[in-house]
Amino acid sequence: MTEPNSGSQPADVDEYDHFIDGEFVASTGDDRFDVVYPYDGSVWATVPLGTSGDIDRAVETARKAFDSDAWGELRPAERAALLHAIADTLDAHVDELAELETRQNGKLIREMGAQMAGLGEYFRYYASLCRTREGRTIPVDNKNGDFFTYVKKEPYGVVAAVTPWNSPLLLTAFKLAPALAAGCTFVHKPSSHTAVSALRFAELLSDAGLPAGVYNVVTGSGGTAGDALVNHDDVDKVAFTGSTAVGRQIGASAGEKLVPVSLELGGKSPNIVFPSANLENAINGIVKGIFAATGQTCLAGSRVFVHEEIAEAIVDRLVDRASSIRLGDPMDPETEMGPVAFRGQLETIRSYIETAREEGATISHGGTQPDNLPGECFFEPTIVTDVDDADTVVREEIFGPVASVLTFTDEDEVIGRANDSPYGLAAGVWTEDMRQAQRVADRLEAGTVWVNEYRTLAYNAPFGGYKDSGLGRELGREGLEAYLQTKTVWIDQSGTVDDPFTLG
Ligand code: NAP
Ligand code: MG
C-alpha cells in the first residue's frame, strides 16, 4: 500500500530516480513515496511512484538489451566472469548495502550484514552453472534412428520481477542471479518501502560491467507500476515474491496471457516438537522461527506444535526466553528484535492479537507495544496459547512476532493438523529419533523441511512452496531452470522423406 506524498522535504532527504538503461532516469510522473526508517519514523529518502510510461520505457530497454549481441552473444566464460565481477563488487559494498536495508525496513544490522556478506555467493554459484550447463542428445526410434536430435535451453527473454520489503536484496538475488546466468534481461519493481537499496544495487551492477539495459529498476506502487509491469505485453516471464493474495492475482493474469510465472508466496509453517527432542535446541529453533526478523519472514514457524508431555515445560521456557529478548535499535549489533517494518504492518499484527483475544486465546507473553522505545513500530514477542486449529491467528499469516502454541498427542495426528493449512512453504521437526524425523519429513506438505534446525537457506538448495505458498522453485539448479525454456531440434540424416501422411 502506498500513499503519494506531496509536501516539501527537509534538506537531508535523498531523492532517487528510476534506474533504466544504465542510468538514473526521472519518472514521467510527479508523485513520490517516502522511505521511512521504522526505528524512529524519520523520512530519509523519496522514490518516484512510477507510471506505466516508465514501465514501458524500462521493458523496451530490457528488450533491446536482450536482443543485443553485447548480451546475447556472451560466451559461458564471459558470462561467468561478469557474474564474478558483480559478486566482487557486492562484497566490496557489504556495509553500505546492509545499512541501506536496515534503514528501509528496520531489520537488524547483524542480519542484514550477514545477508549482504553472502549475496555475492549467489552470483558465484550461478556463474558456476553458466560454465557447466549442457544440453543433451536423444536417441530417437524414428526412421531407425536416422536423426540427430538434441535438446537445448534458451533464455525466456525479458523478466518482470516484483519483490517484497522483508529481505529486499536477497530475494532480488534469488531471481536476478539465475536470470542473468540464463541470459535473460530484467525489469524490477521493488517494494515501495525498500526501493532505495534496489536502485543502489543497480548502480553497483552497472559499475561491475553489466551492460546497460540488462537490469532496470522502476520504483512505485504495486497497483500501478507493479501491475503495469506484470501485465506488460512484451514481458516473457514473471517472477514474484510476496503475499498469496497478490500472487494469486498475478498468476491469474499471467495465465490469461500464457506467460510463465514463478510465485514465492506466504506461509503458516508448522514447527513440531516431539517428546524426544533436545529441548534447549527446540526452544532456540522456535525463537529463531518466529522472533528472528521480528517474525516478518515468509518461512516463519508461526504454528508451534508441542507434544502434550512437554507442552508446559516448553511454554514456560519460551515465555522466559521471549521476556529476555533485547528489543531496540536495529543498528546496534547487540539488538535481537527490531521494529516492525512500517505502521500498517504493526496495525495488522495488533488487530490479529485483538481477534485472538476475542476468540478466547490466552496471550501468555507480549501482545502489546513496548512503551520505552522510539517510533511507532515496536511490538513485543508474543506467545499465544489456548488456541484451536480453526482460530484466525492459527490459520492466517500474520507476518509478525506472534507464535501460536498448540499441543498434540501423536505423530499421525500432528502430521494431519500440520498439513491442514492452505499454505505449504516450510516446516520444522524436532526429534532425536531419526526414523521419526524422516517419516514425518516425508509426509509434511511443505517445500522445505528442517530437522533439528530452522530458517536456513543456501544458494544451491531449492526453495519454494507447496499449495498456496507458491509455484516453482528458486535457488539451486531449479532456480536456473525457471529462466530457461526448452528447444528440441531434429536433424534428419537419412536424406529421404517417406510417407508424408503419417506422424513419423
Ligand atoms: P505484497 O503486498 O504481496 O507485495 C509484494 C510486492 O508486490 C510489492 O512490491 C508490492 O508493491 C507489489 N504488488 C502489490 N500489489 C500488486 C499488483 N496488483 N500487481 C503487481 N505488484 C503488486 O507483499 P508484502 O506485504 O510486500 O510482503 C509480505 C508477503 O510476502 C508475505 O505474505 C510473505 O510471506 C511473502 N514473502 C514470501 C517469500 C517467499 O519466498 N515465499 C519471501 C518473502 C516474503 P507495493 O507494496 O510497493 O505497493
Ligand atoms: Mg503490501
Side-chain angles (χ1 to χ4, degrees):
M1 295 281 282
T2 51
E3 296 287 333
N5 83 65
S6 47
S8 60
Q9 298 294 341
D12 56 350
V13 172
D14 298 323
E15 297 209 346
Y16 286 85
D17 286 328
H18 302 312
F19 195 90
I20 300 173
D21 207 8
E23 57 186 10
F24 287 105
V25 173
S27 175
T28 56
D30 297 325
D31 290 337
R32 301 186 70 81
F33 184 75
D34 289 342
V35 180
V36 178
Y37 182 31
Y39 176 56
D40 59 12
S42 59
V43 175
W44 60 276
T46 75
V47 293
L49 280 174
T51 63
S52 61
D54 299 336
I55 294 290
D56 286 343
R57 179 165 177 187
V59 172
E60 208 175 293
T61 297
R63 171 65 54 197
K64 243 181 28 218
F66 182 71
D67 290 338
S68 73
D69 289 349
W71 183 243
E73 296 293 308
L74 282 183
R75 299 297 95 220
E78 293 167 329
R79 198 174 293 283
L82 184 56
L83 291 169
H84 276 277
I86 288 172
D88 295 344
T89 302
L90 294 174
D91 283 355
H93 293 85
V94 166
D95 294 342
E96 181 197 345
L97 291 173
E99 190 182 325
L100 281 180
E101 295 277 73
T102 293
R103 289 180 76 194
Q104 297 174 133
N105 65 9
K107 268 174 105 167
L108 302 184
I109 195 74
R110 75 199 232 188
E111 167 144 342
M112 298 328 267
Q115 280 191 13
M116 294 306 98
L119 208 57
E121 290 303 297
Y122 289 81
F123 291 87
R124 292 190 182 96
Y125 170 70
Y126 284 104
S128 75
L129 294 194
C130 274
R131 285 178 173 275
T132 53
R133 248 175 75 190
E134 289 168 352
R136 52 195 223 276
T137 57
I138 312 290
V140 297
D141 291 327
N142 313 55
K143 286 178 126 176
N144 291 321
D146 273 348
F147 277 101
F148 173 49
T149 303
Y150 62 93
V151 174
K152 63 189 291 247
K153 297 281 179 159
E154 295 181 348
Y156 273 117
V158 175
V159 176
V162 176
T163 54
W165 43 265
N166 58 328
S167 284
L169 291 183
L170 184 69
L171 297 173
T172 301
F174 281 19
K175 298 167 176 50
L176 185 65
L180 297 182
C184 291
T185 60
F186 210 91
V187 179
H188 179 199
K189 204 298 286 178
S191 161
S192 30
H193 299 285
T194 57
V196 173
S197 61
L199 292 165
R200 178 63 179 133
F201 184 68
E203 192 180 22
L204 289 174
L205 267 51
S206 171
D207 293 348
L210 190 68
V214 172
Y215 175 53
N216 308 279
V217 177
V218 174
T219 65
S221 77
T224 306
D227 182 73
L229 176 58
V230 299
N231 287 299
H232 198 287
D233 281 334
D234 204 27
V235 153
D236 303 304
K237 155 91 194 179
V238 173
F240 173 77
T241 299
S243 62
T244 291
V246 174
R248 199 184 295 285
Q249 221 176 303
I250 290 176
S253 60
E256 185 66 35
K257 298 168 99 73
L258 298 177
V259 171
V261 60
S262 315
L263 302 171
E264 295 289 352
L265 308 177
K268 191 75 191 177
S269 298
N271 203 359
I272 306 169
V273 189
F274 287 100
S276 76
N278 174 320
L279 284 201
E280 188 60 27
N281 288 345
I283 299 284
N284 271 327
I286 297 167
V287 168
K288 193 171 181 181
I290 192 65
F291 299 137
T294 317
Q296 301 168 111
T297 111
C298 53
L299 44 77
S302 48
R303 287 187 295 151
V304 179
F305 287 96
V306 293
H307 192 274
E308 60 182 1
E309 279 171 22
I310 50 171
E312 207 180 307
I314 294 234
V315 171
D316 285 352
R317 288 172 74 166
L318 205 53
V319 167
D320 241 32
R321 275 299 296 277
S323 46
S324 71
I325 290 176
R326 276 193 296 271
L327 273 69
D329 182 351
M331 292 291 180
D332 178 346
E334 298 295 307
T335 300
E336 294 174 323
M337 245 179 77
V340 166
F342 54 96
R343 189 59 200 267
Q345 188 62 21
L346 185 105
E347 294 305 336
T348 303
I349 297 167
R350 224 200 333 233
S351 87
Y352 272 112
I353 298 302
E354 254 165 59
T355 306
R357 285 202 174 95
E358 283 161 20
E359 292 179 1
T362 301
I363 310 300
S364 296
H365 187 265
T368 54
Q369 286 188 267
D371 50 19
N372 57 341
L373 290 163
E376 300 176 309
C377 288
F378 279 94
F379 201 81
E380 287 174 340
T382 299
I383 298 163
V384 183
T385 54
D386 298 323
V387 275
D388 294 330
D389 295 353
D391 287 356
T392 309
V393 282
V394 177
R395 296 210 69 79
E396 296 183 11
E397 182 182 48
I398 300 175
F399 221 63
V402 182
S404 294
V405 182
L406 303 134
T407 56
F408 69 92
T409 53
D410 76 62
E411 189 182 298
D412 277 346
E413 172 210 337
V414 76
I415 291 169
R417 290 171 62 196
N419 288 341
D420 176 21
S421 166
Y423 294 111
L425 192 60
V429 181
W430 299 86
T431 174
E432 293 298 305
D433 173 350
M434 288 305 121
R435 286 202 188 92
Q436 176 174 56
Q438 196 174 358
R439 226 168 32 230
V440 175
D442 280 351
R443 292 179 61 198
L444 286 171
E445 295 165 358
T448 292
V449 179
W450 292 286
V451 176
N452 296 333
E453 243 305 356
Y454 205 89
R455 199 168 181 250
T456 58
L457 287 173
Y459 50 76
N460 48 2
F463 180 77
Y466 277 32
K467 304 193 281 188
D468 288 2
S469 288
L471 279 182
R473 292 292 175 273
E474 296 193 307
L475 308 180
R477 291 178 183 276
E478 284 84 348
L480 180 63
E481 292 299 319
Y483 295 93
L484 293 166
Q485 53 191 336
T486 302
K487 178 177 281 178
T488 306
V489 181
W490 298 64
I491 300 178
D492 186 300
Q493 296 170 315
S494 73
T496 58
V497 175
D498 302 333
D499 181 356
F501 299 104
T502 52
L503 179 67

